[in-house]
Amino acid sequence: MTTITITGKKPGKTDVTISSTVNPAVKTDVPVTVLSRNLLSYGPAEGNGLTATVNTDGSLHVTGAAARQWAGLVWTFPCPVQGTVILRDPTFIAGLSTSVKFLDAKGHQLDGQVTSGGNAVAIPAGTVSLRFEILSSEATPTAKDGDLRVQLESGDTAHEWMRPDNTSLRGGN
């Protein structure tokens, strides 16, 4: 028996055709989906004085002034992996912080969070959802108008930013 390894080059859907010329000849198409390494889910959001829209490249455009320090935008979505994750934001907006918090089945926050620019963090046992937050870190929030490219990925090594698979998840406060 021969093993064949196929590596996806970019996110999307395709078919892999497997065929044999051995008698009887066999041919089958296998659907394959290549997912983004960016595990975040986000989309348009408005709340606490901030507004986020999704740019054509999948990054977030954030405008407005947060209502107060540590207020901003949040998105909650099912946790797609277990193990270790790392968060980074190769583009950022001064005065805004990004983080991902771990939630249990009741929506309660578990110990730990992963912050951009920080170390890789192990996802706590019992995590079923993640909460991605963009919050004002300023004591007196100022107006913002800029683009964010934030990436959460498995493992302890950050890679080049990639558009997440889901950029239509409604967020809020």
Side-chain angles (χ1 to χ4, degrees):
M1 184 183 311
T2 302
T3 301
I4 299 171
T5 302
I6 299 171
T7 302
K9 296 291 185 185
K10 63 182 184 176
K13 294 182 179 193
T14 190
D15 288 329
V16 174
T17 301
I18 300 171
S19 61
S20 168
T21 57
V22 177
N23 207 2
V26 176
K27 181 179 177 185
T28 187
D29 288 331
V30 178
V32 175
T33 301
V34 177
L35 300 176
S36 172
R37 82 172 133 264
N38 191 343
L39 304 173
L40 291 176
S41 290
Y42 55 67
E46 189 172 340
N48 288 312
L50 293 176
T51 299
T53 56
V54 179
N55 294 318
T56 55
D57 71 352
S59 62
L60 285 170
H61 185 76
V62 180
T63 58
R68 65 189 180 292
Q69 187 175 27
W70 307 122
L73 303 170
V74 300
W75 295 262
T76 302
F77 54 93
C79 183
V81 297
Q82 295 299 314
T84 302
V85 291
I86 190 167
L87 182 73
R88 72 178 201 95
D89 53 358
T91 62
F92 63 94
I93 300 171
L96 295 181
S97 68
T98 57
S99 65
V100 173
K101 297 195 167 85
F102 309 111
L103 308 177
D104 66 16
K106 293 183 178 181
H108 299 124
Q109 185 176 332
L110 298 167
D111 287 339
Q113 68 178 347
V114 59
T115 58
S116 62
N119 295 326
V121 174
I123 297 174
T127 298
V128 292
S129 297
L130 301 178
R131 185 172 64 224
F132 172 46
E133 299 179 339
I134 301 173
L135 305 177
S136 173
S137 57
E138 299 173 317
T140 304
T142 58
K144 307 297 174 203
D145 186 358
D147 295 329
L148 287 173
R149 286 179 184 83
V150 184
Q151 181 155 299
L152 178 72
E153 59 185 297
S154 290
D156 58 7
T157 303
H159 295 89
E160 183 179 327
W161 181 82
M162 178 180 278
R163 173 192 190 103
D165 291 321
N166 185 356
T167 57
S168 61
L169 178 67
R170 298 292 298 182
N173 52 9

